[in-house]
């Protein structure tokens, strides 16, 4: 936790003091090993970042006077579309994309997505948010990504995707594509990533018909978990 | 498992037939759902890749006639030096670097590496090899990376590193560096990555004295697990 993320209901009195009792208190005691008087990096959810001056610390609660005057880091000009991965992978991918500055993610169905994944508790709004917050706290950011679930591939691609990709470079990662993924594109991108095993030919055709270009990452087949940071690092 | 990695002692008779009974058999039955007559992608450890023609399959064993005539994919011209991460992270990082084509990794000590990490069973030669093999099987490669353990930071940097970095671009990832990590360098690189929390100033000074240049990845602080694929994807 390189930044303590604050929420509106952490604030006490009418002003700039917060009182924390949850895992953030534990972290400040156990990991930061902080004392009263210390300054900690803080940020307000979807707001500015700054410094928290520790005015009170006990095993039950901590209080800080906070000054919020620093803009969060720039986000990536990216809409990410991912076939829903298995729950364990999903959790890590959510932390990764949140830490890397992705602000819009669509989790979609695909032929090779196991139906059971859609029943996972990891998809509950609160669980998704938990992982996204961990990513923000890691990377020092405050802007929570939006995550949308779309269980119907065809309806999503035909009805919603054409509007989403407007004015962006639209790419789909596909191991057998002819072209390598471009580098340092300096423009908005819509990037689609398939499940382990890849999108099936029908799905690739639907995405191509919508305007997507298939790109690969070389001869090596990477897991989704590795492919996501690799693709983002190449593109931006 | 996108490639079944074969070892010398898998071969039966004097020739090109292999007999497998271990987790690879399970995988071929459960995941590939293969039948006799099928062709599977195979590769010989540190040798060529090719096709295995399934001649016999039972719940107890499988046999393939293999043809090995394809070179494995090119490796990265990189020596990676990493402060030893915690065991769980180490396992994932080993899979990632193996899949991405790193062939030489030094795991070193650093001030912020917890001493207990050096006692972890994950550091046993067999355990390290297990993760590296998983990475090769994922990416379709056969060339096992070398992993070296160095428990003395100063001795490593002073005595061994000067020889290792010859004729390479030497970079150390450091969040507060002035320069961004370069892209697409097309030359050999020696890359050092610190522990969570980073190398301490003394360690950075020692690396700089040896010829390393500090580079960052922007404002965001990434975990080691994410930083590794991001750095490799930028550099190559």
């Amino acid at each position: 936790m390189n930044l303590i993320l604050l929420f509106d209901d952490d604030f006490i009195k009418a002003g700039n003091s917060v009182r924390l009792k949850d895992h953030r208190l534990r972290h400040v005691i156990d990991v930061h090993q902080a004392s009263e008087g210390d300054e900690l990096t803080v940020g307000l959810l979807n707001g500015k970042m700054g410094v928290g001056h520790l005015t009170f610390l006990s095993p039950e609660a901590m209080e800080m006077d906070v000054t919020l005057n620093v803009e969060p880091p720039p986000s990536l000009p990216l809409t990410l579309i991912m076939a829903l991965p298995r729950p364990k992978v999903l959790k890590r991918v959510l932390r990764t994309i949140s830490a890397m500055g992705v602000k819009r993610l669509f989790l979609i169905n695909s032929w090779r997505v196991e139906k059971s994944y859609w029943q996972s508790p990891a998809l509950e709004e609160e669980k998704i948010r938990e992982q996204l917050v961990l990513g923000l706290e890691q990377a020092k950011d405050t802007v929570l990504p939006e995550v949308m679930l779309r269980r119907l591939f065809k309806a999503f691609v035909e009805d919603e995707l054409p509007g989403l990709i407007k004015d962006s470079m639209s790419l789909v990662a596909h191991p057998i594509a002819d072209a390598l993924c471009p580098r340092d594109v300096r423009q908005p991108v819509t990037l689609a990533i398939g499940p382990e095993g890849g999108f099936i030919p029908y799905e690739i055709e639907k995405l191509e018909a919508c305007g997507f270009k298939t790109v690969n990452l070389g001869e090596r087949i990477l897991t989704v978990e590795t492919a996501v940071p690799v693709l983002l690092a190449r593109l931006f």
Side-chain angles (χ1 to χ4, degrees), chain A:
Chain A
M1 199 189 285
N2 296 305
L3 169 143
I4 301 172
L5 198 62
L6 304 172
F7 303 85
D8 282 339
D9 54 10
D10 292 324
F11 285 80
I12 48 176
K13 306 168 202 168
N16 60 352
S17 297
V18 293
R19 185 177 175 86
L20 309 179
K21 298 173 158 195
D22 55 16
H23 69 281
R24 295 169 292 177
L25 169 65
R26 295 280 88 69
H27 190 87
V28 165
I29 292 174
D30 298 341
V31 181
H32 289 303
Q33 305 189 324
S35 326
E36 285 175 12
D38 283 0
E39 299 206 318
L40 301 168
T41 302
V42 298
L44 178 64
L45 181 72
N46 295 325
K48 289 190 175 175
M49 315 195 299
V51 163
H53 186 84
L54 198 55
T55 54
F56 172 78
L57 181 65
S58 81
E60 283 78 41
M62 61 183 271
E63 291 184 15
M64 289 187 287
D65 287 344
V66 303
T67 309
L68 298 168
N69 53 10
V70 179
E71 292 296 333
S75 54
L76 295 182
L78 175 77
T79 298
L80 184 59
I81 297 166
M82 279 187 64
L84 180 65
R86 64 174 203 277
K88 223 172 129 177
V89 173
L90 174 65
K91 287 168 75 170
R92 286 202 289 267
V93 167
L94 288 172
R95 293 203 295 273
T96 302
I97 63 123
S98 176
M100 291 189 74
V102 175
K103 298 303 176 194
R104 192 154 72 152
L105 168 66
F106 288 85
L107 293 169
I108 68 168
N109 197 31
S110 147
W111 183 258
R112 293 205 177 97
V113 170
E114 281 192 30
K115 283 211 178 65
S116 65
Y117 296 171
W118 287 104
Q119 265 68 57
S120 165
L123 281 184
E124 288 163 16
E125 202 179 320
E126 203 40 55
K127 297 282 181 191
I128 287 179
R129 185 181 157 113
E130 208 175 289
Q131 300 302 324
L132 297 173
V133 165
L134 286 171
L136 297 178
E137 290 173 336
Q138 165 66 38
K140 291 193 182 175
D141 189 1
T142 65
V143 183
L144 197 71
E146 282 181 279
V147 177
M148 276 78 55
L149 310 182
R150 295 292 183 267
R151 295 186 187 211
L152 300 172
F153 178 87
K154 187 160 174 275
F156 173 71
V157 173
E158 289 182 355
D159 305 338
E160 195 169 359
L161 204 47
L164 284 175
I165 65 174
K166 247 187 221 159
D167 305 322
S168 77
M169 178 188 281
S170 305
L171 306 173
V172 49
H174 192 47
I176 57 170
D178 290 327
L180 262 171
C181 178
R183 290 174 186 274
D184 198 15
V185 298
R186 295 159 190 260
Q187 69 173 95
V189 172
T190 307
L191 173 66
I193 301 179
E196 304 289 349
F199 285 119
I200 61 171
Y202 164 81
E203 291 165 341
I204 292 290
E205 279 162 30
K206 292 295 285 182
L207 289 167
E208 283 178 335
C210 184
F212 279 73
K213 196 185 144 201
T214 59
V215 294
N216 73 51
L217 284 173
E219 293 176 52
R220 297 169 179 280
I221 314 288
L222 303 178
T223 60
V224 167
E225 264 177 281
T226 306
V228 167
V230 163
L231 285 160
L232 300 186
R234 273 187 76 99
L235 288 168
F236 302 105

